[in-house]
Amino acid sequence: MSSLSERTARNQRLMGPLLCVSILLGLAGLPLAAWLDLRNLSERMLEAQARETGRVIDQMRSLYASDVVQAVNTATGRIVTRHDYKGIPNAIPIPATLSLELGERIGGEDGAIKYRFISDLPFKDRKAHDLDAFERTALAGLRADPRAGSALDVSGSIFDRQVRIAAPIVMESACVRCHNSHPLSPKTDWKVGDVRGIQEIVLHQAIAANVFAFKYLMGYFVLAALAGTTLLVLQGRQTRLIDRMNRELTESNGFLASISVQIAKYISPQVYKSIFSGERDVSVATERKKLTIFFSDIKDFTATTERLQPEELTALLNEYLTEMTAIAHRHGGTVDKYIGDAILVFFGDPETKGVREDAAACVRMAVAMQRRLAELNARWRRAGIERPFQARMGINTGYCNVGNFGSDERLDYTIIGAEANLAARLQSSATPGGIMMSYETYALVGDIVQASPQDPIRMKGISREVVPYAVEGNLDAAVPESVFCEHGRGIDFYIDVDALEAEGAARLRKRLAEALAAVERRAKTAPAVPSDSLVRL
């Protein structure tokens, strides 16, 4: 796990410089590459235009030299201008013929510029011109409105573009006289200003050539693609690394959660919560607090073990401890430990509502435990358990040392002090099914319980006599007792009032009256016995 964390940290350190380089390239590279390529493209376009213009001029000079200058230089008489000048001595081409010849020469080569001088009304001895849709439309439009000046057409594909510009050929006075009097003219009613035809210039440019001119920009895109790919690869690696770490962390969290749930079964919920929330340090440390301590024990548990099979006893004891622990948790008690069949619970740490409220909660818990034990006894007797459990309970309030006791390797969260021992001594002096508490506790809860003082007891480690108080009733209890049981020498009875039927209740009432009369007779004839050994019915 540590090596994985180190690799993650190293990758994170490398990601920073790489991201900075990528951002700098993205910010500075694009405008630089675009400027360099535009400069290169401008140079190439200017060079191409210069070459093309030179080609056109060369064609014009060549045509003029061969068909005009040469005819003039070799003329022996008067120079004439004719449309059919070739083969005629002293003849040079008229402007229209010169334009036609020039167009054929310029368009005859594979160049970016083409020139055409065309009309739909050529002389009869000339080949008719082939006009396409644009040329026919442009000619008709310019004849209708010569002031339009020109017609434009842009076409091509994603790989090349073509621009065509058509300008009108307007008849002047000399042209009108010639055309109207010439025998080969197809039209003899020309007027000055009429549009005889069009002269068309075609510009063609292959886009692919310009695209490949952007070498710097393409280089930038290649670098950006490489940088982006590198970033994606690194990001993918980081993502996979984080996913793997998350999976390992999830597995670790699941393992820790299962372990924590298992650990929670060995400590009280309050301690578990304080440790895992960070409120309490796991170290050897104690403090002195005023607590209310509860101690309970099952009467004659050893004798009960002899009557039951180990499996039955285990199930019975586990159910008893489970039920009592649940009641302790509901009332906010901290279950310290189980000592065989005994239970030690205290109130006031790690959570407290105040000394008085803690004592009241402890007493309410003890009463609820006795009531629930009576209900369990009724069920156990119906299940075939002849003599279920009877618990004695003791409660005391006083100062104890509470916290983590033990060593650095193993700790035990518990309490130590004479007050805890006093709670155990009070438990041993309680009657089966009864609750005994000290005066310190009674002084705090006297307003919610009925209790009677008992004979003082002495205890090792406490110099004073301790007066125990037996709880006789809970003023807060909304549900009266419905299960009564008592076992002892000469006493063995169990009554579940909720389970009685009308006929059974009548028989029980009669038998209880007879038993009470017999007890009264016995009391008059038998020697005196301690008052606490009599059973109140």
Side-chain angles (χ1 to χ4, degrees), residues 267-272 291-294 324-338 343-353 357-366 369 413 415:
I267 57 178
S268 65
Q270 297 92 332
V271 178
Y272 171 83
L291 308 176
T292 297
I293 304 101
F294 167 90
M324 299 302 106
T325 301
I327 294 173
H329 290 166
R330 283 200 301 270
H331 288 80
T334 301
V335 179
D336 187 327
K337 60 174 65 69
Y338 306 116
I343 305 175
L344 175 60
V345 182
F346 58 85
F347 290 75
D349 193 79
E351 298 175 353
T352 180
K353 296 181 180 179
E357 287 298 324
D358 291 340
C362 184
V363 172
R364 291 191 181 97
M365 177 196 71
M369 284 182 172
Y413 177 79
I415 58 174

Side-chain angles (χ1 to χ4, degrees), residues 43-60:
E43 293 175 355
R44 291 187 60 179
M45 290 183 66
L46 290 174
E47 180 182 355
Q49 290 175 2
R51 290 179 182 275
E52 197 65 25
T53 303
R55 185 181 70 85
V56 172
I57 293 174
D58 288 342
Q59 293 295 334
M60 293 176 64

Side-chain angles (χ1 to χ4, degrees), residues 121-124 171 175-192 194 196:
L121 297 171
F123 279 5
K124 296 178 181 179
M171 299 291 286
C175 297
V176 170
R177 288 194 302 269
C178 176
H179 279 265
N180 287 341
S181 61
H182 202 287
L184 296 179
S185 175
K187 180 178 172 65
T188 59
D189 57 349
W190 293 102
K191 297 178 182 178
V192 177
D194 287 347
R196 181 192 173 204

Side-chain angles (χ1 to χ4, degrees), residues 250-316:
T250 301
E251 293 174 359
S252 300
N253 288 340
F255 174 75
L256 292 176
S258 63
I259 292 297
S260 65
V261 170
Q262 297 178 34
I263 292 176
K265 297 181 181 297
Y266 290 89
I267 57 178
S268 65
Q270 297 92 332
V271 178
Y272 171 83
K273 178 182 177 182
S274 63
I275 291 176
F276 281 86
S277 64
E279 298 175 3
R280 179 181 295 273
D281 293 331
V282 184
S283 59
V284 179
T286 62
E287 56 183 327
R288 191 165 178 79
K289 282 188 174 183
K290 192 170 187 179
L291 308 176
T292 297
I293 304 101
F294 167 90
F295 196 92
S296 71
D297 191 25
I298 296 176
K299 178 198 172 188
D300 297 332
F301 183 75
T302 303
T304 303
T305 60
E306 297 175 354
R307 295 194 304 271
L308 298 174
Q309 294 297 323
E311 294 79 7
E312 288 182 314
L313 179 64
T314 300
L316 211 64

Side-chain angles (χ1 to χ4, degrees), residues 33-47:
W35 179 79
L36 290 173
D37 281 326
L38 287 175
R39 186 184 68 175
N40 186 42
L41 181 61
S42 298
E43 293 175 355
R44 291 187 60 179
M45 290 183 66
L46 290 174
E47 180 182 355

Side-chain angles (χ1 to χ4, degrees), residues 367-442:
V367 172
M369 284 182 172
Q370 290 290 19
R371 182 176 294 119
R372 180 56 180 161
L373 181 56
E375 296 173 356
L376 292 175
N377 283 333
R379 180 157 57 83
W380 289 338
R381 287 180 69 87
R382 289 193 294 269
I385 306 299
E386 182 181 0
R387 291 187 177 182
F389 296 154
Q390 283 187 299
R392 293 187 290 247
M393 301 179 180
I395 302 174
N396 180 40
T397 301
Y399 282 94
C400 295
N401 290 330
V402 57
N404 296 324
F405 294 85
S407 65
D408 292 337
E409 286 76 23
R410 180 169 179 175
L411 299 175
D412 186 16
Y413 177 79
T414 186
I415 58 174
I416 291 178
E419 303 298 339
N421 297 333
L422 178 56
R425 181 68 179 84
L426 290 171
Q427 171 271 137
S428 63
S429 65
T431 59
I435 303 170
M436 196 74 72
M437 60 183 175
S438 65
Y439 174 77
E440 286 77 4
T441 303
Y442 175 69

Side-chain angles (χ1 to χ4, degrees), residues 119 122-130:
S119 175
F123 279 5
K124 296 178 181 179
D125 61 344
R126 293 187 182 276
K127 182 182 178 181
H129 297 156
D130 294 329

